[in-house]
Amino acid sequence: QVQLVESGGGTVQAGDSLRLSCAASGRTFSGYTMGWFRQAPGKEREFVAAISWTSGRTIYADSVKGRFTISSDNAKSTVYLQMNSLNPEDTAVYYCAVRYGVEIMAIYLYNYWGQGTQVTVSS
């Protein structure tokens, strides 16, 4: 069974950086895509970034392009989200998720989800 465990969240000041990690287990992930999503209070969950385990191709939401970087360590089955220049609008619970296939933004096409990690950015 696939398990995803996020870590690295916390409370930071505007302009600071954080790196989130998502450790995946339960199968080999060749051909899979790992995505990061976030959900702010009172808002719907939204796509942040995704990476293909096999090709390393990445896609980003416009709101985080140039500030966030997704990367993977296939040997550790871990995906990272480096978040720079954080602002209060980035405050949310961040989730990682996995799907079989190419990297896409559609939330409903991701099959397995982690429990989330809270990121709070104060002004």
Side-chain angles (χ1 to χ4, degrees), residues 70-86:
I70 189 171
S71 62
S72 65
D73 184 336
N74 290 9
K76 295 182 179 180
S77 294
T78 299
V79 173
Y80 305 98
L81 186 68
Q82 177 66 43
M83 306 186 293
N84 299 329
S85 302
L86 286 161

Side-chain angles (χ1 to χ4, degrees), residues 25-114:
S25 63
R27 65 162 303 118
T28 56
F29 291 96
S30 177
Y32 280 71
T33 289
M34 179 70 77
W36 282 100
F37 298 81
R38 67 185 182 185
Q39 188 166 18
K43 295 187 177 181
E44 294 187 352
R45 194 169 300 187
E46 65 177 5
F47 171 80
V48 176
I51 186 168
S52 165
W53 281 109
T54 304
S55 70
R57 286 193 305 264
T58 59
I59 56 173
Y60 295 91
D62 288 343
S63 58
V64 305
K65 278 182 183 176
R67 299 189 300 124
F68 291 11
T69 302
I70 189 171
S71 62
S72 65
D73 184 336
N74 290 9
K76 295 182 179 180
S77 294
T78 299
V79 173
Y80 305 98
L81 186 68
Q82 177 66 43
M83 306 186 293
N84 299 329
S85 302
L86 286 161
N87 59 62
E89 290 69 40
D90 296 316
T91 295
V93 177
Y94 283 72
Y95 300 88
C96 63
V98 67
R99 69 177 300 271
Y100 181 77
V102 299
E103 57 281 3
I104 58 173
M105 299 183 182
I107 292 175
Y108 67 94
L109 291 178
Y110 284 79
N111 309 106
Y112 300 97
W113 291 80

Side-chain angles (χ1 to χ4, degrees), residues 9 12 17 53 80 85 119 123:
V12 297
S17 299
W53 281 109
Y80 305 98
S85 302
V119 172
S123 58

